[in-house]
Amino acid sequence: MELLNISFVILLIKVCISFLPIVFGIYLLTAPLESKRILRNKICMALFGVNNAIAYSKFERGMRVISLILFIFGGLASWILLFRHLLFR
C-alpha cells in the first residue's frame, strides 16, 4: 500500500490553490495596524525608495480591494477545482 497516492497529492494542490488566497485575504483585512504600516513602508521603499510615498488611507483601501479579489479568486477556484464535479454528475 502506498503512503502517498498521486490523486491525494493532486487533491492537496487543489485545496491549497483554493483556500490559501482566502486565508491571505483574511490576513490582509484583520492584520494589526502596526504590521500594515510596516508592510506599507516595505512596499514604498521597494518601489519608490521612500518610506511614506503612499498615504495610509489609500494603502488601506488598496489592501481591502486586494483582499476582496483574493476572496473572489479563492471562491471561484474552490468551486471549479473542488465542488463543481460533486453537483453536476
Side-chain angles (χ1 to χ4, degrees):
M1 183 173 120
E2 294 180 24
L3 290 177
L4 192 59
N5 193 350
I6 190 71
S7 61
F8 181 69
V9 172
I10 292 172
L11 176 67
L12 285 178
I13 292 171
K14 287 180 180 181
V15 167
C16 288
I17 291 172
S18 298
F19 294 117
L20 280 179
I22 296 172
V23 170
F24 289 141
I26 290 171
Y27 174 74
L28 290 178
L29 284 178
T30 60
L33 180 69
E34 186 61 33
S35 66
K36 287 182 183 179
R37 288 190 188 273
I38 292 171
L39 180 63
R40 177 187 64 137
N41 289 342
K42 286 182 181 178
I43 290 173
C44 288
M45 193 63 149
L47 292 176
F48 306 114
V50 181
N51 278 339
N52 295 328
I54 302 172
Y56 183 75
S57 61
K58 293 181 181 181
F59 180 76
E60 177 85 28
R61 188 177 312 129
M63 296 287 276
R64 288 182 184 169
V65 169
I66 290 171
S67 66
L68 179 66
I69 290 170
L70 287 173
F71 284 146
I72 292 171
F73 176 76
L76 287 175
S78 64
W79 172 259
I80 291 170
L81 296 175
L82 299 174
F83 302 124
R84 182 181 55 163
H85 72 279
L86 295 175
L87 297 175
F88 298 115
R89 286 187 177 216

Coordinates of all heavy atoms in Angstrom, one line a residue:
M1 N 0.8 -1.2 0.0 CA 0.0 0.0 0.0 C 0.9 1.2 0.0 O 1.8 1.4 0.8 CB -0.9 0.0 1.2 CG -1.8 1.1 1.3 SD -3.0 1.0 2.7 CE -2.6 2.4 3.5
E2 N 0.6 2.1 -0.9 CA 1.4 3.4 -1.0 C 0.9 4.3 0.1 O -0.3 4.4 0.4 CB 1.2 4.0 -2.3 CG 1.7 3.2 -3.5 CD 1.5 4.0 -4.8 OE1 1.3 5.2 -4.8 OE2 1.4 3.3 -5.8
L3 N 1.9 5.1 0.6 CA 1.5 6.0 1.6 C 1.0 7.3 1.0 O 0.2 8.0 1.6 CB 2.7 6.3 2.5 CG 3.1 5.2 3.5 CD1 4.4 5.6 4.2 CD2 2.0 4.9 4.4
L4 N 1.5 7.7 -0.2 CA 1.2 8.9 -0.8 C 0.7 8.6 -2.2 O 1.5 8.2 -3.1 CB 2.4 9.8 -0.9 CG 2.2 11.3 -1.3 CD1 1.2 11.9 -0.3 CD2 3.5 12.0 -1.3
N5 N -0.6 8.7 -2.4 CA -1.2 8.4 -3.7 C -1.2 9.7 -4.6 O -1.3 10.8 -4.1 CB -2.6 8.0 -3.5 CG -3.3 7.4 -4.7 OD1 -2.7 7.4 -5.8 ND2 -4.4 6.8 -4.5
I6 N -1.0 9.5 -5.9 CA -1.0 10.7 -6.8 C -2.3 11.5 -6.8 O -2.2 12.7 -6.8 CB -0.5 10.3 -8.2 CG1 -0.2 11.5 -9.0 CG2 -1.6 9.5 -8.9 CD1 1.0 12.2 -8.7
S7 N -3.4 10.8 -6.6 CA -4.7 11.6 -6.6 C -4.8 12.4 -5.3 O -5.4 13.5 -5.2 CB -5.8 10.6 -6.7 OG -5.9 9.7 -5.6
F8 N -4.2 11.9 -4.2 CA -4.2 12.6 -2.9 C -3.3 13.9 -3.1 O -3.6 14.9 -2.5 CB -3.7 11.7 -1.8 CG -3.7 12.4 -0.5 CD1 -4.8 12.8 0.2 CD2 -2.5 12.7 0.2 CE1 -4.8 13.4 1.4 CE2 -2.4 13.4 1.4 CZ -3.6 13.7 2.0
V9 N -2.2 13.8 -3.7 CA -1.3 14.9 -3.9 C -2.0 16.0 -4.8 O -1.9 17.2 -4.5 CB 0.0 14.5 -4.6 CG1 0.9 15.7 -5.0 CG2 0.8 13.6 -3.7
I10 N -2.7 15.5 -5.8 CA -3.5 16.5 -6.6 C -4.6 17.1 -5.8 O -4.8 18.4 -6.0 CB -4.0 15.7 -7.9 CG1 -2.9 15.3 -8.8 CG2 -5.0 16.6 -8.6 CD1 -3.3 14.4 -9.9
L11 N -5.2 16.4 -5.0 CA -6.3 17.0 -4.1 C -5.6 18.0 -3.2 O -6.2 19.1 -3.0 CB -7.0 15.9 -3.3 CG -8.0 16.4 -2.3 CD1 -9.2 17.0 -3.0 CD2 -8.4 15.3 -1.4
L12 N -4.5 17.7 -2.6 CA -3.8 18.7 -1.7 C -3.5 20.0 -2.5 O -3.6 21.1 -1.9 CB -2.6 18.1 -1.1 CG -2.8 17.1 0.0 CD1 -1.4 16.6 0.5 CD2 -3.5 17.8 1.2
I13 N -3.0 19.9 -3.7 CA -2.7 21.0 -4.5 C -3.9 21.9 -4.8 O -3.9 23.1 -4.7 CB -1.9 20.6 -5.8 CG1 -0.6 20.1 -5.5 CG2 -1.8 21.8 -6.8 CD1 0.1 19.4 -6.6
K14 N -5.0 21.2 -5.1 CA -6.3 21.9 -5.4 C -6.8 22.6 -4.1 O -7.2 23.8 -4.2 CB -7.4 20.9 -5.8 CG -7.2 20.4 -7.2 CD -8.3 19.4 -7.6 CE -8.2 18.8 -8.9 NZ -9.3 17.9 -9.3
V15 N -6.7 22.0 -3.0 CA -7.1 22.6 -1.7 C -6.2 23.9 -1.4 O -6.7 24.9 -1.0 CB -7.1 21.6 -0.6 CG1 -7.2 22.3 0.8 CG2 -8.2 20.6 -0.7
C16 N -4.9 23.7 -1.7 CA -4.0 24.9 -1.4 C -4.3 26.0 -2.4 O -4.4 27.2 -1.9 CB -2.6 24.5 -1.6 SG -1.9 23.4 -0.3
I17 N -4.6 25.7 -3.6 CA -4.9 26.8 -4.6 C -6.3 27.4 -4.2 O -6.5 28.6 -4.4 CB -5.0 26.2 -6.0 CG1 -3.6 25.9 -6.5 CG2 -5.6 27.2 -7.0 CD1 -3.5 25.1 -7.8
S18 N -7.2 26.7 -3.7 CA -8.5 27.2 -3.3 C -8.5 28.0 -2.1 O -9.2 29.0 -2.0 CB -9.5 26.0 -3.2 OG -9.6 25.3 -4.4
F19 N -7.9 27.5 -1.0 CA -8.1 28.2 0.3 C -6.9 29.1 0.7 O -7.2 30.0 1.6 CB -8.3 27.1 1.3 CG -9.6 26.4 1.1 CD1 -9.6 25.0 0.9 CD2 -10.8 27.0 1.2 CE1 -10.8 24.3 0.7 CE2 -12.0 26.4 1.0 CZ -12.0 25.0 0.7
L20 N -5.8 29.0 0.2 CA -4.7 30.0 0.6 C -5.0 31.4 0.2 O -4.7 32.3 1.0 CB -3.4 29.5 0.0 CG -2.7 28.4 0.8 CD1 -1.4 28.0 0.1 CD2 -2.4 28.8 2.2
P21 N -5.6 31.7 -1.0 CA -6.0 33.1 -1.3 C -7.0 33.6 -0.3 O -6.9 34.8 0.1 CB -6.6 33.1 -2.7 CG -6.0 31.9 -3.3 CD -5.8 30.9 -2.2
I22 N -7.9 32.8 0.2 CA -8.9 33.3 1.2 C -8.2 33.6 2.5 O -8.5 34.6 3.2 CB -10.0 32.2 1.3 CG1 -10.8 32.1 0.0 CG2 -10.9 32.6 2.5 CD1 -11.8 30.9 0.0
V23 N -7.2 32.7 2.9 CA -6.5 32.9 4.1 C -5.7 34.2 4.1 O -5.7 35.0 5.0 CB -5.6 31.7 4.5 CG1 -4.7 32.0 5.6 CG2 -6.5 30.5 4.8
F24 N -5.0 34.5 2.9 CA -4.3 35.7 2.8 C -5.2 36.9 2.8 O -4.8 38.0 3.3 CB -3.4 35.7 1.5 CG -2.3 34.7 1.5 CD1 -1.9 34.0 0.4 CD2 -1.5 34.6 2.7 CE1 -0.8 33.1 0.5 CE2 -0.4 33.8 2.7 CZ -0.1 33.0 1.6
G25 N -6.4 36.8 2.2 CA -7.3 37.9 2.2 C -7.8 38.2 3.6 O -7.9 39.4 4.0
I26 N -8.0 37.2 4.4 CA -8.4 37.4 5.8 C -7.3 38.1 6.6 O -7.5 39.0 7.4 CB -8.9 36.1 6.4 CG1 -10.2 35.6 5.8 CG2 -9.0 36.2 7.9 CD1 -10.6 34.2 6.3
Y27 N -6.1 37.6 6.3 CA -4.9 38.3 7.0 C -4.8 39.8 6.6 O -4.6 40.6 7.5 CB -3.6 37.6 6.6 CG -2.4 38.3 7.2 CD1 -2.2 38.2 8.6 CD2 -1.6 39.1 6.4 CE1 -1.1 38.9 9.1 CE2 -0.5 39.7 6.9 CZ -0.3 39.7 8.3 OH 0.8 40.3 8.8
L28 N -5.0 40.1 5.3 CA -4.9 41.5 4.9 C -6.0 42.3 5.6 O -5.8 43.5 5.8 CB -5.0 41.6 3.4 CG -3.8 41.1 2.6 CD1 -4.1 41.2 1.1 CD2 -2.6 41.8 3.0
L29 N -7.2 41.8 5.8 CA -8.2 42.5 6.5 C -8.0 42.7 8.0 O -8.4 43.7 8.6 CB -9.6 41.9 6.2 CG -10.2 42.1 4.8 CD1 -11.5 41.3 4.7 CD2 -10.4 43.5 4.5
T30 N -7.5 41.6 8.6 CA -7.5 41.6 10.1 C -6.1 41.8 10.7 O -6.0 41.7 11.9 CB -8.0 40.2 10.6 OG1 -7.2 39.2 10.1 CG2 -9.5 40.0 10.2
A31 N -5.1 42.1 9.9 CA -3.8 42.4 10.4 C -3.8 43.6 11.3 O -4.5 44.6 11.1 CB -2.8 42.6 9.2
P32 N -3.0 43.6 12.3 CA -2.9 44.8 13.2 C -2.4 46.0 12.4 O -1.7 45.9 11.4 CB -1.9 44.3 14.3 CG -1.7 42.9 14.1 CD -2.1 42.5 12.8
L33 N -2.7 47.2 13.0 CA -2.3 48.4 12.3 C -0.8 48.5 12.1 O -0.3 49.0 11.1 CB -2.8 49.6 13.2 CG -2.5 51.0 12.7 CD1 -3.4 51.2 11.4 CD2 -2.9 52.0 13.7
E34 N 0.0 48.1 13.1 CA 1.4 48.2 13.1 C 2.0 47.4 11.9 O 2.9 47.8 11.2 CB 2.1 47.9 14.4 CG 3.5 48.1 14.5 CD 3.9 49.6 14.3 OE1 3.1 50.5 14.7 OE2 5.0 49.8 13.7
S35 N 1.5 46.2 11.8 CA 2.0 45.3 10.7 C 1.6 45.8 9.3 O 2.4 45.7 8.3 CB 1.6 43.9 10.9 OG 0.2 43.8 10.7
K36 N 0.5 46.5 9.2 CA 0.1 47.1 8.0 C 1.0 48.3 7.6 O 1.4 48.5 6.5 CB -1.4 47.6 8.0 CG -2.4 46.5 7.9 CD -3.8 47.0 8.0 CE -4.8 45.9 8.0 NZ -6.2 46.5 8.0
R37 N 1.4 49.0 8.6 CA 2.3 50.2 8.4 C 3.7 49.7 8.0 O 4.3 50.3 7.1 CB 2.4 51.0 9.6 CG 1.1 51.9 9.9 CD 1.3 52.9 11.0 NE 0.1 53.5 11.3 CZ -0.4 54.6 10.7 NH1 0.2 55.1 9.7 NH2 -1.6 55.1 11.1
I38 N 4.1 48.6 8.6 CA 5.4 48.0 8.2 C 5.4 47.5 6.8 O 6.3 47.7 6.0 CB 5.8 46.9 9.2 CG1 6.1 47.5 10.6 CG2 7.0 46.1 8.7 CD1 6.3 46.5 11.7
L39 N 4.3 46.9 6.4 CA 4.2 46.4 5.1 C 4.1 47.5 4.1 O 4.7 47.5 3.0 CB 2.9 45.5 4.9 CG 2.6 44.9 3.6 CD1 3.7 44.0 3.2 CD2 1.2 44.3 3.6
R40 N 3.4 48.6 4.4 CA 3.3 49.8 3.5 C 4.7 50.4 3.4 O 5.1 50.7 2.3 CB 2.4 50.8 4.1 CG 2.3 52.1 3.3 CD 1.5 53.1 3.9 NE 2.2 53.5 5.2 CZ 2.3 54.8 5.6 NH1 1.8 55.8 4.9 NH2 2.8 55.1 6.7
N41 N 5.5 50.5 4.5 CA 6.8 51.1 4.4 C 7.7 50.2 3.5 O 8.5 50.7 2.7 CB 7.4 51.2 5.8 CG 6.7 52.3 6.5 OD1 6.1 53.2 6.0 ND2 6.9 52.3 7.9
K42 N 7.6 48.9 3.6 CA 8.5 48.0 2.8 C 8.1 48.1 1.4 O 9.0 48.1 0.5 CB 8.3 46.5 3.3 CG 9.0 46.2 4.6 CD 8.8 44.8 5.0 CE 9.5 44.5 6.3 NZ 9.3 43.1 6.7
I43 N 6.8 48.2 1.1 CA 6.4 48.3 -0.4 C 6.9 49.6 -0.9 O 7.4 49.7 -2.0 CB 4.9 48.1 -0.5 CG1 4.5 46.6 -0.2 CG2 4.4 48.5 -1.9 CD1 3.1 46.4 -0.1
C44 N 6.7 50.7 -0.2 CA 7.1 52.0 -0.6 C 8.6 52.1 -0.8 O 9.1 52.7 -1.8 CB 6.6 53.1 0.3 SG 4.8 53.4 0.3
M45 N 9.3 51.5 0.1 CA 10.8 51.5 0.0 C 11.2 50.7 -1.3 O 12.2 51.2 -1.9 CB 11.4 51.0 1.2 CG 12.8 51.2 1.3 SD 13.1 53.0 1.4 CE 14.6 53.1 2.4
A46 N 10.6 49.6 -1.5 CA 11.0 48.8 -2.7 C 10.6 49.5 -4.0 O 11.4 49.4 -5.0 CB 10.3 47.4 -2.6
L47 N 9.5 50.1 -4.0 CA 9.0 50.7 -5.3 C 9.6 52.1 -5.5 O 10.0 52.5 -6.6 CB 7.5 50.8 -5.3 CG 6.7 49.5 -5.4 CD1 5.2 49.7 -5.4 CD2 7.1 48.7 -6.7
F48 N 9.6 53.0 -4.5 CA 9.9 54.4 -4.7 C 11.2 54.8 -4.0 O 11.6 55.9 -4.2 CB 8.7 55.2 -4.2 CG 7.4 54.9 -4.8 CD1 6.4 54.3 -4.0 CD2 7.2 55.1 -6.2 CE1 5.2 54.0 -4.6 CE2 6.0 54.7 -6.7 CZ 5.0 54.2 -6.0
G49 N 11.7 54.1 -3.1 CA 12.9 54.4 -2.3 C 12.6 55.4 -1.2 O 13.5 55.9 -0.6
V50 N 11.3 55.6 -0.8 CA 10.9 56.5 0.3 C 10.0 55.7 1.1 O 9.1 54.9 0.6 CB 10.2 57.8 -0.3 CG1 9.8 58.7 0.9 CG2 11.1 58.5 -1.3
N51 N 10.0 55.9 2.4 CA 9.1 55.1 3.3 C 7.7 55.5 3.2 O 6.8 54.6 3.3 CB 9.6 55.3 4.8 CG 10.7 54.4 5.1 OD1 11.0 53.4 4.5 ND2 11.4 54.8 6.2
N52 N 7.3 56.7 3.1 CA 5.9 57.1 3.1 C 5.4 57.7 1.8 O 4.8 58.8 1.8 CB 5.7 58.2 4.2 CG 6.0 57.6 5.6 OD1 5.8 56.4 5.8 ND2 6.5 58.4 6.5
A53 N 5.6 57.0 0.7 CA 5.2 57.6 -0.6 C 3.7 57.4 -0.8 O 3.1 58.2 -1.5 CB 6.0 56.9 -1.7
I54 N 3.1 56.4 -0.2 CA 1.7 56.2 -0.3 C 1.0 56.5 1.0 O 1.4 56.1 2.0 CB 1.4 54.7 -0.7 CG1 2.1 54.3 -1.9 CG2 -0.1 54.4 -0.8 CD1 2.0 52.8 -2.2
A55 N -0.1 57.3 0.9 CA -0.8 57.7 2.1 C -1.5 56.4 2.7 O -1.9 55.5 2.0 CB -1.9 58.7 1.7
Y56 N -1.6 56.4 4.0 CA -2.1 55.2 4.7 C -3.5 54.9 4.3 O -3.9 53.7 4.1 CB -1.9 55.3 6.2 CG -2.3 54.0 6.9 CD1 -1.5 52.9 6.8 CD2 -3.6 53.9 7.5 CE1 -1.9 51.7 7.4 CE2 -4.0 52.8 8.1 CZ -3.1 51.6 8.1 OH -3.6 50.5 8.6
S57 N -4.3 55.9 4.2 CA -5.7 55.7 3.8 C -5.9 55.0 2.5 O -6.7 54.1 2.3 CB -6.5 57.0 3.9 OG -6.0 57.9 2.9
K58 N -5.1 55.5 1.5 CA -5.1 54.9 0.2 C -4.6 53.4 0.2 O -5.0 52.6 -0.5 CB -4.4 55.7 -0.8 CG -5.1 57.0 -1.1 CD -4.3 57.9 -2.1 CE -5.1 59.2 -2.2 NZ -4.4 60.1 -3.2
F59 N -3.5 53.2 1.0 CA -3.0 51.9 1.1 C -4.0 51.0 1.7 O -4.1 49.8 1.3 CB -1.7 52.0 2.0 CG -1.0 50.6 2.1 CD1 -0.3 50.1 1.1 CD2 -1.1 50.0 3.4 CE1 0.3 48.8 1.3 CE2 -0.5 48.7 3.5 CZ 0.2 48.2 2.5
E60 N -4.7 51.4 2.8 CA -5.7 50.6 3.4 C -6.8 50.2 2.4 O -7.3 49.1 2.4 CB -6.3 51.4 4.6 CG -7.5 50.7 5.3 CD -7.0 49.8 6.4 OE1 -5.9 50.0 6.9 OE2 -7.7 48.8 6.6
R61 N -7.3 51.2 1.6 CA -8.3 50.9 0.6 C -7.8 49.9 -0.4 O -8.5 49.0 -0.8 CB -8.7 52.2 -0.1 CG -9.9 52.0 -1.0 CD -10.3 53.3 -1.7 NE -10.5 54.4 -0.7 CZ -9.9 55.6 -0.8 NH1 -9.2 55.9 -1.8 NH2 -10.1 56.5 0.1
G62 N -6.5 50.0 -0.8 CA -5.9 49.1 -1.7 C -5.8 47.7 -1.1 O -6.0 46.7 -1.8
M63 N -5.5 47.6 0.1 CA -5.5 46.3 0.8 C -6.9 45.6 0.8 O -7.0 44.4 0.7 CB -5.0 46.5 2.2 CG -3.5 46.9 2.3 SD -2.4 45.7 1.9 CE -2.2 44.8 3.4
R64 N -7.9 46.5 1.0 CA -9.3 45.9 1.0 C -9.7 45.4 -0.3 O -10.3 44.4 -0.5 CB -10.3 47.0 1.5 CG -10.2 47.2 3.0 CD -11.2 48.2 3.4 NE -11.0 48.5 4.8 CZ -11.6 49.5 5.4 NH1 -12.4 50.3 4.8 NH2 -11.4 49.7 6.7
V65 N -9.3 46.1 -1.4 CA -9.6 45.7 -2.7 C -8.8 44.4 -3.1 O -9.4 43.5 -3.6 CB -9.2 46.8 -3.8 CG1 -9.2 46.3 -5.2 CG2 -10.1 48.0 -3.6
I66 N -7.5 44.3 -2.7 CA -6.8 43.1 -2.9 C -7.3 41.9 -2.2 O -7.4 40.8 -2.7 CB -5.3 43.4 -2.6 CG1 -4.7 44.3 -3.6 CG2 -4.5 42.1 -2.5 CD1 -3.3 44.8 -3.2
S67 N -7.8 42.2 -0.9 CA -8.4 41.1 -0.2 C -9.7 40.6 -0.8 O -10.0 39.4 -0.8 CB -8.6 41.4 1.3 OG -9.5 42.5 1.4
L68 N -10.5 41.5 -1.3 CA -11.7 41.2 -2.0 C -11.4 40.4 -3.3 O -12.1 39.3 -3.5 CB -12.5 42.4 -2.4 CG -13.8 42.2 -3.1 CD1 -14.8 41.5 -2.2 CD2 -14.4 43.5 -3.6
I69 N -10.4 40.7 -4.0 CA -10.0 40.0 -5.2 C -9.5 38.6 -4.8 O -9.9 37.6 -5.5 CB -8.9 40.7 -6.0 CG1 -9.5 42.0 -6.6 CG2 -8.3 39.9 -7.0 CD1 -8.5 42.9 -7.2
L70 N -8.8 38.5 -3.7 CA -8.4 37.2 -3.2 C -9.5 36.3 -2.8 O -9.6 35.1 -3.0 CB -7.4 37.3 -2.1 CG -6.0 37.8 -2.5 CD1 -5.2 38.1 -1.2 CD2 -5.3 36.8 -3.3
F71 N -10.6 36.9 -2.1 CA -11.8 36.2 -1.7 C -12.5 35.6 -3.0 O -12.9 34.4 -3.0 CB -12.7 37.0 -1.0 CG -12.3 37.3 0.5 CD1 -12.7 38.5 1.1 CD2 -11.7 36.3 1.2 CE1 -12.3 38.7 2.4 CE2 -11.4 36.5 2.5 CZ -11.7 37.7 3.1
I72 N -12.6 36.5 -4.0 CA -13.3 36.0 -5.2 C -12.5 35.0 -5.9 O -13.1 34.0 -6.3 CB -13.6 37.3 -6.1 CG1 -14.6 38.2 -5.5 CG2 -14.1 36.8 -7.5 CD1 -14.8 39.5 -6.2
F73 N -11.2 35.1 -6.0 CA -10.4 34.1 -6.7 C -10.5 32.8 -5.9 O -10.6 31.7 -6.5 CB -9.0 34.6 -6.8 CG -8.0 33.5 -7.3 CD1 -8.1 33.3 -8.7 CD2 -7.2 32.8 -6.5 CE1 -7.2 32.3 -9.2 CE2 -6.4 31.8 -7.0 CZ -6.4 31.6 -8.4
G74 N -10.4 32.8 -4.6 CA -10.5 31.6 -3.8 C -11.8 30.9 -3.9 O -11.9 29.7 -4.0
G75 N -12.9 31.7 -3.9 CA -14.2 31.1 -4.1 C -14.4 30.5 -5.5 O -14.9 29.4 -5.6
L76 N -14.0 31.2 -6.5 CA -14.1 30.6 -7.8 C -13.2 29.4 -8.0 O -13.6 28.4 -8.6 CB -13.7 31.6 -8.9 CG -14.7 32.7 -9.1 CD1 -14.2 33.8 -10.1 CD2 -16.0 32.2 -9.7
A77 N -12.0 29.4 -7.4 CA -11.1 28.3 -7.5 C -11.6 27.1 -6.8 O -11.6 25.9 -7.3 CB -9.7 28.7 -7.0
S78 N -12.2 27.3 -5.6 CA -12.8 26.2 -4.9 C -14.0 25.6 -5.6 O -14.2 24.4 -5.6 CB -13.1 26.6 -3.5 OG -14.1 27.6 -3.5
W79 N -14.8 26.5 -6.2 CA -15.9 26.0 -7.0 C -15.5 25.2 -8.2 O -16.0 24.1 -8.4 CB -16.8 27.1 -7.5 CG -17.9 26.7 -8.4 CD1 -17.9 26.8 -9.8 CD2 -19.1 26.1 -8.1 NE1 -19.0 26.3 -10.3 CE2 -19.8 25.9 -9.3 CE3 -19.7 25.7 -6.9 CZ2 -21.0 25.2 -9.3 CZ3 -20.9 25.1 -6.9 CH2 -21.6 24.9 -8.1
I80 N -14.5 25.7 -9.0 CA -14.1 25.0 -10.2 C -13.3 23.7 -9.8 O -13.5 22.7 -10.4 CB -13.2 25.9 -11.0 CG1 -14.1 27.0 -11.6 CG2 -12.6 25.2 -12.2 CD1 -13.4 28.2 -12.3
L81 N -12.4 23.8 -8.9 CA -11.5 22.7 -8.6 C -12.1 21.6 -7.7 O -11.8 20.4 -7.9 CB -10.2 23.2 -8.0 CG -9.3 24.1 -8.9 CD1 -8.1 24.6 -8.1 CD2 -8.9 23.3 -10.2
L82 N -12.9 22.0 -6.8 CA -13.4 21.0 -5.7 C -14.8 20.7 -5.8 O -15.2 19.5 -5.6 CB -13.0 21.6 -4.4 CG -11.6 21.8 -4.1 CD1 -11.4 22.5 -2.7 CD2 -10.8 20.6 -4.1
F83 N -15.7 21.6 -6.0 CA -17.1 21.3 -5.8 C -17.9 21.2 -7.1 O -19.1 20.7 -7.0 CB -17.7 22.5 -5.0 CG -17.1 22.6 -3.6 CD1 -16.6 23.8 -3.2 CD2 -17.0 21.6 -2.8 CE1 -15.9 24.0 -2.0 CE2 -16.4 21.7 -1.5 CZ -15.8 22.9 -1.2
R84 N -17.4 21.6 -8.2 CA -18.2 21.5 -9.4 C -18.6 20.1 -9.8 O -19.8 19.8 -10.1 CB -17.4 22.1 -10.6 CG -18.2 22.2 -11.9 CD -17.4 22.8 -12.9 NE -16.1 22.0 -13.0 CZ -15.3 22.1 -14.0 NH1 -15.5 22.9 -15.0 NH2 -14.2 21.4 -14.0
H85 N -17.7 19.2 -9.7 CA -18.0 17.8 -10.1 C -18.9 17.1 -9.1 O -19.5 16.1 -9.5 CB -16.7 17.0 -10.4 CG -16.0 16.7 -9.1 ND1 -15.2 17.6 -8.4 CD2 -16.0 15.5 -8.4 CE1 -14.7 17.0 -7.4 NE2 -15.2 15.8 -7.3
L86 N -19.0 17.6 -7.9 CA -19.9 17.0 -7.0 C -21.4 17.3 -7.2 O -22.3 16.5 -7.0 CB -19.6 17.4 -5.5 CG -18.2 17.0 -5.0 CD1 -18.0 17.6 -3.6 CD2 -18.2 15.5 -4.9
L87 N -21.7 18.5 -7.8 CA -23.0 18.9 -8.0 C -23.5 18.5 -9.4 O -24.7 18.4 -9.6 CB -23.1 20.4 -7.8 CG -22.8 20.9 -6.4 CD1 -22.8 22.4 -6.4 CD2 -23.8 20.4 -5.5
F88 N -22.7 18.4 -10.4 CA -23.1 18.1 -11.8 C -22.6 16.8 -12.2 O -21.8 16.6 -13.0 CB -22.5 19.2 -12.7 CG -23.0 20.6 -12.4 CD1 -22.1 21.6 -12.0 CD2 -24.4 20.9 -12.5 CE1 -22.6 22.8 -11.7 CE2 -24.8 22.2 -12.2 CZ -23.9 23.1 -11.8
R89 N -23.2 15.7 -11.7 CA -22.8 14.4 -12.1 C -23.8 13.8 -13.1 O -24.9 14.0 -13.2 CB -22.8 13.4 -10.9 CG -21.6 13.7 -10.0 CD -21.6 12.7 -8.9 NE -20.4 12.9 -8.2 CZ -19.6 11.9 -7.7 NH1 -20.0 10.7 -7.8 NH2 -18.6 12.2 -7.0

